[in-house]
Coordinates of all heavy atoms in Angstrom, one line a residue:
A1 N 11.9 1.2 14.9 CA 12.0 0.7 16.2 C 11.3 -0.7 16.2 O 11.8 -1.5 17.0 CB 11.3 1.6 17.2
K2 N 10.3 -1.0 15.4 CA 9.6 -2.3 15.3 C 10.2 -3.1 14.1 O 9.7 -4.2 13.9 CB 8.1 -2.1 15.2 CG 7.5 -1.4 16.4 CD 6.0 -1.3 16.4 CE 5.4 -0.8 17.6 NZ 3.9 -0.7 17.5
N3 N 11.1 -2.6 13.4 CA 11.8 -3.2 12.3 C 10.7 -3.7 11.3 O 10.7 -4.8 10.7 CB 12.6 -4.5 12.8 CG 13.8 -4.7 11.9 OD1 14.3 -3.8 11.3 ND2 14.2 -6.0 11.9
S4 N 9.8 -2.8 11.0 CA 8.5 -3.2 10.2 C 8.2 -2.0 9.2 O 8.5 -0.8 9.4 CB 7.3 -3.4 11.0 OG 7.5 -4.6 11.9
V5 N 7.6 -2.4 8.1 CA 7.0 -1.5 7.1 C 5.6 -1.8 7.0 O 5.1 -2.9 7.0 CB 7.8 -1.6 5.8 CG1 7.0 -0.8 4.7 CG2 9.2 -1.1 5.9
Y6 N 4.8 -0.7 6.8 CA 3.3 -0.8 6.7 C 2.8 -0.3 5.4 O 3.4 0.6 4.8 CB 2.6 -0.1 7.9 CG 3.1 -0.5 9.2 CD1 4.2 0.2 9.8 CD2 2.7 -1.7 9.8 CE1 4.7 -0.2 11.2 CE2 3.2 -2.1 11.0 CZ 4.2 -1.3 11.7 OH 4.7 -1.7 12.9
L7 N 1.7 -0.9 5.0 CA 0.9 -0.4 3.8 C -0.5 -0.1 4.3 O -1.3 -1.1 4.5 CB 1.0 -1.6 2.7 CG 0.1 -1.3 1.5 CD1 0.5 0.0 0.8 CD2 0.3 -2.5 0.5
Q8 N -0.9 1.1 4.2 CA -2.3 1.5 4.5 C -3.0 1.7 3.1 O -2.6 2.4 2.3 CB -2.3 2.8 5.3 CG -3.7 3.3 5.5 CD -4.5 2.4 6.5 OE1 -3.9 2.0 7.5 NE2 -5.7 2.1 6.2
M9 N -4.1 0.9 3.0 CA -4.9 0.8 1.7 C -6.2 1.4 2.1 O -6.9 0.8 2.9 CB -4.9 -0.6 1.2 CG -3.5 -1.2 0.9 SD -3.6 -2.8 0.1 CE -4.2 -3.8 1.4
D10 N -6.6 2.4 1.4 CA -7.9 3.1 1.5 C -8.6 3.1 0.2 O -8.0 3.0 -0.9 CB -7.7 4.5 2.1 CG -7.1 4.5 3.5 OD1 -7.5 3.7 4.3 OD2 -6.3 5.4 3.7
S11 N -9.9 3.4 0.2 CA -10.7 3.4 -1.0 C -10.4 2.2 -2.0 O -10.2 2.4 -3.1 CB -10.5 4.8 -1.7 OG -10.8 5.8 -0.9
M12 N -10.5 1.1 -1.4 CA -10.1 -0.1 -2.2 C -11.0 -0.4 -3.2 O -12.2 -0.2 -3.1 CB -9.8 -1.3 -1.2 CG -8.7 -1.0 -0.2 SD -8.2 -2.5 0.7 CE -7.3 -3.3 -0.5
K13 N -10.5 -1.1 -4.3 CA -11.2 -1.4 -5.5 C -11.1 -2.9 -5.7 O -10.1 -3.5 -5.4 CB -10.8 -0.6 -6.7 CG -10.8 0.8 -6.5 CD -10.2 1.6 -7.8 CE -10.2 3.0 -7.6 NZ -9.5 3.7 -8.9
P14 N -12.0 -3.5 -6.5 CA -11.9 -5.0 -6.8 C -10.6 -5.3 -7.5 O -10.1 -6.3 -7.3 CB -13.1 -5.2 -7.7 CG -14.1 -4.3 -7.2 CD -13.3 -3.0 -6.8
E15 N -10.0 -4.4 -8.3 CA -8.8 -4.6 -9.0 C -7.6 -4.6 -8.1 O -6.5 -4.9 -8.6 CB -8.6 -3.6 -10.1 CG -8.9 -2.2 -9.8 CD -10.2 -1.7 -10.1 OE1 -11.2 -2.3 -9.8 OE2 -10.3 -0.5 -10.6
D16 N -7.8 -4.2 -6.9 CA -6.8 -4.4 -5.9 C -6.5 -5.8 -5.4 O -5.5 -6.0 -4.6 CB -7.0 -3.4 -4.7 CG -6.9 -1.9 -5.1 OD1 -6.1 -1.6 -6.0 OD2 -7.6 -1.2 -4.5
T17 N -7.4 -6.7 -5.7 CA -7.4 -8.1 -5.3 C -6.0 -8.7 -5.8 O -5.8 -8.7 -7.0 CB -8.5 -8.9 -5.7 OG1 -9.8 -8.3 -5.2 CG2 -8.5 -10.3 -5.4
A18 N -5.2 -9.2 -4.9 CA -4.0 -9.9 -5.3 C -3.3 -10.4 -4.0 O -3.8 -10.2 -3.0 CB -3.1 -8.8 -5.9
V19 N -2.2 -11.1 -4.2 CA -1.4 -11.5 -3.2 C -0.3 -10.4 -3.0 O 0.2 -10.0 -4.0 CB -0.7 -12.9 -3.5 CG1 0.4 -13.2 -2.3 CG2 -1.7 -14.0 -3.5
Y20 N -0.2 -9.8 -1.9 CA 0.8 -8.7 -1.7 C 2.1 -9.3 -1.0 O 2.0 -10.0 0.0 CB 0.1 -7.7 -0.8 CG -0.9 -6.8 -1.5 CD1 -2.1 -7.3 -2.0 CD2 -0.6 -5.5 -1.9 CE1 -3.0 -6.6 -2.7 CE2 -1.5 -4.7 -2.6 CZ -2.7 -5.3 -3.0 OH -3.6 -4.5 -3.7
F21 N 3.2 -8.8 -1.6 CA 4.5 -9.3 -1.2 C 5.3 -8.0 -0.7 O 5.2 -6.9 -1.4 CB 5.2 -10.0 -2.3 CG 4.6 -11.2 -2.7 CD1 3.7 -11.1 -3.7 CD2 4.9 -12.5 -2.2 CE1 3.0 -12.3 -4.3 CE2 4.4 -13.6 -2.7 CZ 3.4 -13.6 -3.7
C22 N 6.2 -8.2 0.3 CA 7.1 -7.1 0.5 C 8.4 -7.7 0.1 O 8.7 -8.8 0.2 CB 7.1 -6.6 2.0 SG 7.4 -7.8 3.3
G23 N 9.4 -6.8 -0.4 CA 10.7 -7.2 -0.8 C 11.7 -6.1 -0.3 O 11.4 -4.9 -0.2
A24 N 12.9 -6.5 -0.2 CA 14.0 -5.5 0.3 C 15.2 -5.6 -0.7 O 15.5 -6.6 -1.3 CB 14.5 -6.0 1.7
V25 N 15.8 -4.4 -0.8 CA 16.9 -4.2 -1.7 C 17.8 -3.1 -1.1 O 17.3 -2.1 -0.5 CB 16.5 -3.8 -3.1 CG1 15.8 -2.5 -3.3 CG2 17.8 -3.9 -4.1
V26 N 19.2 -3.4 -1.2 CA 20.1 -2.4 -0.6 C 20.2 -1.1 -1.6 O 20.4 -0.1 -1.0 CB 21.4 -3.0 -0.4 CG1 22.6 -2.1 0.0 CG2 21.3 -4.2 0.7
T27 N 20.3 -1.4 -2.8 CA 20.5 -0.2 -3.8 C 19.3 0.6 -3.9 O 18.2 0.2 -4.3 CB 20.8 -0.8 -5.2 OG1 21.9 -1.8 -5.1 CG2 21.2 0.3 -6.2
D28 N 19.4 1.8 -3.5 CA 18.3 2.8 -3.4 C 17.6 3.1 -4.8 O 16.4 3.3 -4.9 CB 18.8 4.2 -2.9 CG 19.0 4.1 -1.4 OD1 18.6 3.1 -0.7 OD2 19.8 5.0 -0.9
V29 N 18.4 3.0 -5.9 CA 17.8 3.3 -7.2 C 16.6 2.5 -7.6 O 15.7 2.9 -8.3 CB 18.8 3.4 -8.3 CG1 19.9 4.5 -8.1 CG2 19.5 2.1 -8.4
Y30 N 16.7 1.3 -7.0 CA 15.5 0.3 -7.4 C 14.2 0.7 -6.7 O 13.2 0.0 -6.9 CB 16.0 -1.1 -7.1 CG 17.1 -1.6 -8.0 CD1 18.3 -1.9 -7.6 CD2 16.8 -1.7 -9.4 CE1 19.3 -2.3 -8.4 CE2 17.8 -2.0 -10.3 CZ 19.0 -2.4 -9.8 OH 20.1 -2.8 -10.7

């Protein structure tokens, strides 16, 4: 309904530090 996807991140670690990107693809196998 909001045309959005969410990422809930819990118990985060220093190694989670990064730039986070979302990407879209039509083919489900990917």
Side-chain angles (χ1 to χ4, degrees):
K2 296 183 178 180
N3 215 26
S4 297
V5 168
Y6 304 98
L7 173 58
Q8 179 66 44
M9 302 184 289
D10 298 317
S11 302
M12 298 190 73
K13 304 174 180 180
E15 51 263 44
D16 295 323
T17 295
V19 177
Y20 283 71
F21 301 86
C22 57
V25 64
V26 172
T27 306
D28 286 342
V29 296
Y30 293 116

